Amino acid sequence: MNSPKRNLSFFENVLLNFDNAASYTDHPKGLLEKIKTCNSIYSFHFPIRTQRGYETISGWRVEHSHHKLPVKGGIRYSEHVDEDEVKALASLMTYKCAIVDVPFGGAKGAVKIDPKNYTVHELEQITRRYTSELIKKNFIGPGVDVPAPDYGTGPREMAWIADTYAAFNPGQTDALACVTGKPVTEGGVRGRTEATGRGVFFAIREVCAYGDDMKKLGLTKGLEGKRVIVQGLGNVGYHAAKFCQEGGAIIVGIAEYEGAIYDEKGLDVDRVVKHRKETFSILNYPGATNIPKSSEALERECDILIPAALENQITEENAPRIKAKIIAEGANGPTSAAAEEILLKKNVLIIPDIYCNAGGVTVSYFEWLKNLSHVRFGRMGKRYEQATFDRLLVAVEHATGKSFSENERRAITRGADEIDLVNSGLEETMVSAYNEIREQVKRNTKIPDLRTAAFVEAINKVALAYLELGIFP
Ligand code: NAD
């Protein structure tokens, strides 16, 4: 194949997707250029002392778009990361936030290390030093730039970042809002850890809810009974698999870096995790077939494939052999532009990353709001709601002569806790955003696929924000 889409870098893929979608809009060229350019790129190096001696570590923070502030995006720890990747990820964050109506610009950070090679103490040193580099250049702050977890980082790293920021900004009452994805005890919000995976599940469930769309793929309506393969059993992959399983799907395959397992009768996600903890590998899981070459799992029989590891996993090389009818992009950039061309010709429906994995930033937004308001969601209203429902039940009991049992009463009158409100907000966001994207395709029949539609939505929203700022009258 001699497609110009071959061998593009991650960032070039994003630019190509942008340009393709921009051709379906009528925004001025200058405005489109402004939207797609990365505004600020901070690349730096810092020393740390490990058990092996001094080491120089490379770090980045890229702020893609300041059309809304703060900018927002995760921090990745990976030995393979480079500036191109951080620029790509920062750009995707801008479009992602726009799609789910989260009022932030996009950003991304990275540290070029393999966390497995460092002790916890060394990781803490690296994280705190990385944070102080961001502070020095005003690349972090509740109203400036708010990082979050990504590949290789989690709540622990976010707590170190929050603590370092607070130490450099004594007395700043909103300091906790400088980073999201923190542990709940350190100002985090309930539901953030599982939010991206839960969002992937909501996205898949919504896509499968349209009988006509499913019919075109040769599938039945609904998630129930659909066979799913997941690549990456980390934060996003584990939670996406778990919620899909709870939603009635059958997890037939799981791939990790050490290999993959397949069982058409279905794998129990939590048992696989337990097996991996005990044996340090997902291989040899009872009843399942081992697939020693992990990437081959992507090509096995299934209805839905969830790549939730890293970018560039589905390429023009393996795309012809992919059997899934739906690809739900849990990871950022897992499908290359050249692979997408092949898959679309095969009538595969791709749920694009900029929508599919936006659950994380959605709940990060809720965490940021919680930190700024200094009050737990549900604290003010829960008991009041409960009392209102209780009065309503008493009225129903009087009117009907029926009395409710204690259990019924408790179930009906329960007021919303933080986790209920977070999950409800996430579900509403994912469902509405999908329907906006789907409508875009329905309205404009020239738009060929969901990724282009999602980019068009995002470009329109960011363009509007710039026009409202008066930058492009
Ligand atoms: P993670 O570090 O928690 O998990 C990633 C998992 O993938 C790890 O278990 C790793 O061993 C595995 N893996 C790596 N290479 C693999 C390979 N070649 N084959 C199979 N498995 C492999 O990271 P995460 O936070 O789950 O992020 C995964 C992806 O989701 C990334 O692309 C990230 O940018 C994206 N994402 C994450 C979030 C979030 O909230 N964490 C939000 C949006 C998007």
Side-chain angles (χ1 to χ4, degrees):
M1 190 174 84
N2 267 336
S3 163
K5 296 180 181 177
R6 283 189 79 177
N7 301 326
L8 295 181
S9 74
F10 188 6
F11 187 47
E12 286 167 340
N13 262 295
V14 174
L15 295 179
L16 189 82
N17 288 328
F18 180 97
D19 289 340
N20 176 37
S23 68
Y24 295 94
T25 71
D26 51 11
H27 301 298
K29 196 163 170 282
L31 175 54
L32 290 168
E33 275 301 315
K34 173 78 202 103
I35 295 173
K36 80 174 182 182
T37 307
C38 287
N39 283 358
S40 318
I41 301 169
Y42 179 29
S43 137
F44 48 95
H45 307 275
F46 55 88
I48 65 146
R49 203 161 96 187
T50 69
Q51 292 162 336
R52 300 172 294 277
Y54 281 102
E55 236 181 85
T56 301
I57 308 272
S58 302
W60 291 268
R61 186 74 185 166
V62 172
E63 295 179 349
H64 171 256
S65 176
H66 296 111
H67 71 288
K68 297 219 165 162
L69 286 172
V71 293
K72 182 112 194 60
I75 297 176
R76 169 171 290 196
Y77 285 4
S78 158
E79 61 187 330
H80 304 296
V81 75
D82 57 21
E83 194 164 299
D84 179 277
E85 187 173 317
V86 191
K87 278 159 67 179
L89 291 163
S91 314
L92 290 177
M93 281 307 297
T94 294
Y95 310 131
K96 200 178 293 185
C97 289
I99 285 166
V100 288
D101 288 328
V102 163
F104 297 143
K108 205 79 179 188
V111 179
K112 195 177 179 68
I113 53 162
D114 179 351
K116 290 193 211 76
N117 296 339
Y118 296 86
T119 63
V120 172
H121 175 68
E122 288 163 356
L123 286 173
E124 179 172 353
Q125 248 187 291
I126 292 170
T127 307
R128 288 186 183 279
R129 181 61 198 256
Y130 174 82
T131 309
S132 52
E133 294 295 329
L134 298 186
I135 295 169
K136 275 196 231 166
K137 294 280 195 280
N138 203 25
F139 268 71
I140 185 170
V144 180
D145 187 340
V146 181
D150 191 66
Y151 185 90
T153 60
R156 180 184 65 180
E157 284 75 16
M158 302 308 116
W160 290 331
I161 292 173
D163 186 58
T164 310
Y165 182 83
F168 278 89
N169 293 277
Q172 196 187 103
T173 50
D174 290 338
L176 273 179
C178 74
V179 65
T180 60
K182 302 178 292 291
V184 173
T185 48
E186 311 289 327
V189 74
R190 286 162 187 81
R192 172 60 184 92
T193 303
E194 60 271 36
T196 310
R198 194 187 282 275
V200 171
F201 158 67
F202 285 140
I204 296 173
R205 194 193 64 186
E206 195 58 19
V207 166
C208 292
Y210 286 95
D212 288 355
D213 296 353
M214 290 301 101
K215 210 167 160 193
K216 285 184 204 150
L217 303 174
L219 295 173
T220 53
K221 181 179 166 179
L223 181 58
E224 187 85 33
K226 294 226 164 27
R227 298 162 306 159
V228 176
I229 294 177
V230 183
Q231 183 197 36
L233 201 53
N235 179 306
V236 179
Y238 164 71
H239 289 108
K242 187 173 151 66
F243 292 124
C244 283
Q245 184 182 321
E246 286 172 9
I250 305 165
I251 310 300
V252 291
I254 298 178
E256 254 296 333
Y257 69 90
E258 70 269 19
I261 50 174
Y262 187 88
D263 185 350
E264 60 190 16
K265 292 197 292 298
L267 301 158
D268 183 278
V269 180
D270 278 326
R271 287 213 186 117
V272 172
V273 170
K274 189 164 172 272
H275 168 82
R276 189 171 188 232
K277 267 199 189 121
E278 285 165 3
T279 66
F280 303 105
S281 171
I282 56 168
L283 294 172
N284 302 320
Y285 179 74
T289 310
N290 283 340
I291 308 174
K293 193 170 173 220
S294 178
S295 58
E296 280 173 11
L298 307 184
E299 302 162 20
R300 290 291 176 110
E301 278 296 338
C302 68
D303 301 310
I304 303 170
L305 175 61
I306 308 178
L310 278 175
E311 58 277 359
N312 210 29
Q313 297 299 304
I314 305 174
T315 61
E316 72 262 38
E317 196 279 313
N318 61 0
R321 299 190 297 278
I322 299 271
K323 299 189 184 65
K325 308 275 182 11
I326 298 173
I327 294 177
E329 295 186 332
N332 284 310
T335 316
S336 75
E340 179 149 17
E341 198 169 271
I342 298 168
L343 293 166
L344 292 177
K345 278 190 194 137
K346 284 172 51 169
N347 194 29
V348 175
L349 186 144
I350 301 174
I351 313 176
D353 49 6
I354 48 172
Y355 158 65
C356 192
N357 68 35
V361 74
T362 302
V363 175
S364 272
Y365 168 47
F366 300 156
E367 180 176 332
W368 181 76
L369 291 175
K370 176 185 180 180
N371 295 151
L372 293 181
S373 65
H374 300 267
V375 64
R376 166 173 54 82
F377 293 114
R379 180 170 174 179
M380 308 291 283
K382 181 181 166 175
R383 298 283 159 171
Y384 185 81
E385 251 175 53
Q386 240 163 258
T388 307
F389 291 143
D390 214 36
R391 284 196 298 277
L392 209 63
L393 278 199
V394 170
V396 172
E397 281 177 336
H398 278 151
T400 61
K402 174 185 171 7
S403 52
F404 293 94
S405 71
E406 249 333 285
N407 279 348
E408 283 173 326
R409 181 173 291 277
R410 220 174 294 129
I412 299 169
T413 61
R414 198 173 73 84
D417 270 324
E418 180 169 88
I419 186 72
D420 303 314
L421 294 167
V422 163
N423 288 342
S424 151
L426 173 60
E427 182 171 4
E428 164 61 16
T429 303
M430 294 306 291
V431 169
S432 313
Y434 179 64
N435 284 292
E436 272 185 29
I437 298 167
R438 189 171 175 274
E439 275 308 306
Q440 183 74 252
V441 179
K442 292 244 165 278
R443 234 186 358 257
N444 188 344
T445 48
K446 286 193 194 127
I447 293 181
D449 55 81
L450 291 177
R451 190 185 315 278
T452 310
F455 264 93
V456 168
E457 277 287 315
I459 291 171
N460 286 342
K461 287 181 184 176
V462 179
L464 187 66
Y466 273 121
L467 292 170
E468 279 170 354
L469 284 173
I471 296 177
F472 285 88

